[in-house]
Amino acid sequence: MFTDATHTPAGTDDDEAISTEIALAMYRTMSTARKFEKRAYDLFLQNLVKGTTHLGIGQEAVAAGVAAAMRKDDYSFITYRGHNHLIARGTPLPPLMAELLGRDNGLMHGKGGSMHLIDVERGILGSYAIIGAQLVIANGAAWSAQYRGSGQVTVCFFGDGATNIGAFHEALNFAVIWKLPVVFVCENNLYMEYTRIDGVTAVAHPAADRASAYNLPSILIDGNDPDEVYLTAKRAVDQARAGGGPSLIEAVTYRHGGHSRADPAKYRDPEEVRDWLTRDPLPAYRSRLVASGVREAVLDAIDAEIITQVDEATEQAKAGAWPRPERLHTNVWSDGGATWRN
């Protein structure tokens, strides 16, 4: 846990209990995301994943902890580094993998690819390649839920670089003024693409240090600790659902690789990389579960099951047909078509 005199990580009491069921679910999410993205990386090297990909290896605890605190009908808005968030919300692996390969059996029939993923059935209302664009759109979803009285909460993820975008400030101001049921989660992996965030930002903690400007508490947490992420997110989600308005959470984490698959990340200090690799959330959480009494055999069985699922998803994706040209003329409008309307 990050603690200092400036930040108040409300909702992270060490003595707050997390059930074994939730803990194992978070472990399963993190392990699935890790194995899925490693396979996606292998497929990229085989030229089967077209374009580029932005992997979240090392950042899985944020996705797992927040998703565990959400209701099934809640909404998620994510970035182009979002495979782990779809997995956390329950998107099946075969259509997700097929989408990365651009096949017709993909989540969006191969038209979205790695950076533009949507799963409306599970409340994933888009991964956005334009930095910060999703924050104001997330407000719209939250406003809709507030108007309809549905009790749904919107969670909006963004990177540290988005905090220097105008939409970040506009969205926070509007959300507070209208007391919207939205939780903003900054995944601070220390780098905005190829540049360290602290080299171009006036404050040390790009989201938490700016919260007070919008009359919000400053919440700074360890984004590599799924328990801390879950407890913090649960309080924020519960508050939003009860009509208490928005929250802003900064979760400090680290991506193990470069910004994208085309980036060897040689601009990073090797010592910094080695230090963060020792804080890898997946083996750390496995050790914590074992220390708490979970048998290694239980975790081994989960991992073996996941490997089988990733293998099956890979084969189904490879076997998928290419989208026919007619696909270009579908899903442009909400009615599923593309007929021009004037």
Side-chain angles (χ1 to χ4, degrees):
M1 179 188 299
F2 291 87
T3 56
D4 60 41
T6 306
H7 306 93
T8 306
T12 57
D13 297 339
D14 290 334
D15 57 353
E16 193 164 350
I18 295 177
S19 71
T20 301
E21 180 183 6
I22 290 175
L24 287 177
M26 291 195 293
Y27 177 81
R28 178 183 290 275
T29 295
M30 289 196 295
S31 185
T32 303
R34 180 69 58 92
K35 292 173 176 56
F36 179 91
E37 290 210 304
K38 282 190 171 181
R39 180 63 54 83
Y41 173 70
D42 293 340
L43 296 173
F44 178 86
L45 295 180
Q46 297 171 38
N47 199 29
L48 291 173
V49 175
K50 305 299 181 182
T52 189
T53 57
H54 303 77
L55 304 180
I57 292 177
Q59 302 185 195
E60 297 91 346
V62 179
V66 174
M70 297 174 69
R71 212 167 69 182
K72 285 188 176 180
D73 63 341
D74 288 337
Y75 297 130
S76 294
F77 287 78
I78 56 182
T79 72
Y80 48 80
R81 199 182 306 282
H83 306 154
N84 48 11
H85 291 294
L86 278 94
I87 290 169
R89 294 300 308 276
T91 300
L93 300 188
L96 183 56
M97 188 68 82
E99 186 61 37
L100 268 58
L101 269 60
R103 304 304 173 96
D104 195 59
N105 57 340
L107 192 62
M108 302 160 65
H109 300 294
K111 295 200 294 186
S114 172
M115 295 178 70
H116 308 98
L117 298 165
I118 297 174
D119 186 354
V120 174
E121 185 179 344
R122 293 166 188 82
I124 305 286
L125 300 189
S127 58
Y128 293 76
I130 298 176
I131 307 299
Q134 72 274 26
L135 280 88
V136 288
I137 303 173
N139 271 354
W143 194 5
S144 167
Q146 184 186 64
Y147 180 79
R148 290 180 286 112
S150 66
Q152 293 165 288
V153 172
T154 296
V155 177
C156 181
F157 298 92
F158 54 95
D160 40 284
T163 63
N164 288 335
I165 298 290
F168 167 79
H169 301 278
E170 295 169 14
L172 279 169
N173 186 64
F174 189 87
V176 171
I177 293 297
W178 286 73
K179 215 172 183 179
L180 297 179
V182 57
V183 178
F184 297 104
V185 180
C186 174
E187 295 183 271
N188 181 4
N189 62 19
L190 312 188
Y191 286 85
M192 41 186 300
E193 295 199 5
Y194 318 109
T195 304
R196 275 191 66 96
I197 187 69
D198 58 7
V200 293
T201 305
V203 293
H205 305 291
D209 284 350
R210 287 155 163 164
S212 62
Y214 301 100
N215 198 29
L216 293 173
S218 179
I219 303 175
L220 180 70
I221 62 172
D222 182 355
N224 278 12
D225 183 338
D227 289 351
E228 185 172 343
V229 173
Y230 167 73
L231 292 172
T232 306
K234 187 172 187 310
R235 291 204 179 176
V237 168
D238 289 348
Q239 172 187 298
R241 206 181 311 283
S247 295
L248 173 62
I249 300 169
E250 179 176 335
V252 181
T253 183
Y254 199 77
R255 55 172 159 80
H256 288 182
H259 170 65
S260 70
R261 289 313 320 145
D263 173 23
K266 293 183 178 179
Y267 46 83
R268 299 193 301 189
D269 182 348
E271 185 175 347
E272 172 192 288
V273 176
R274 283 194 295 271
D275 176 58
W276 276 96
L277 289 177
T278 65
R279 299 148 71 178
D280 188 333
L282 185 56
Y285 200 54
R286 181 185 176 98
S287 297
R288 183 185 299 174
L289 291 176
V290 171
S292 70
V294 175
R295 291 185 295 114
E296 294 252 22
V298 172
L299 303 176
D300 290 342
I302 291 174
D303 288 338
E305 181 184 339
I306 293 169
I307 290 173
T308 299
Q309 292 173 351
V310 171
D311 287 343
E312 292 175 352
T314 302
E315 294 309 311
Q316 291 184 40
K318 287 180 176 178
W322 293 107
R324 296 176 61 83
E326 292 79 6
R327 281 287 185 206
L328 288 172
H329 304 291
T330 62
N331 305 113
V332 174
W333 302 109
S334 60
D335 63 7
T339 303
W340 177 251
R341 296 182 293 189
N342 192 334

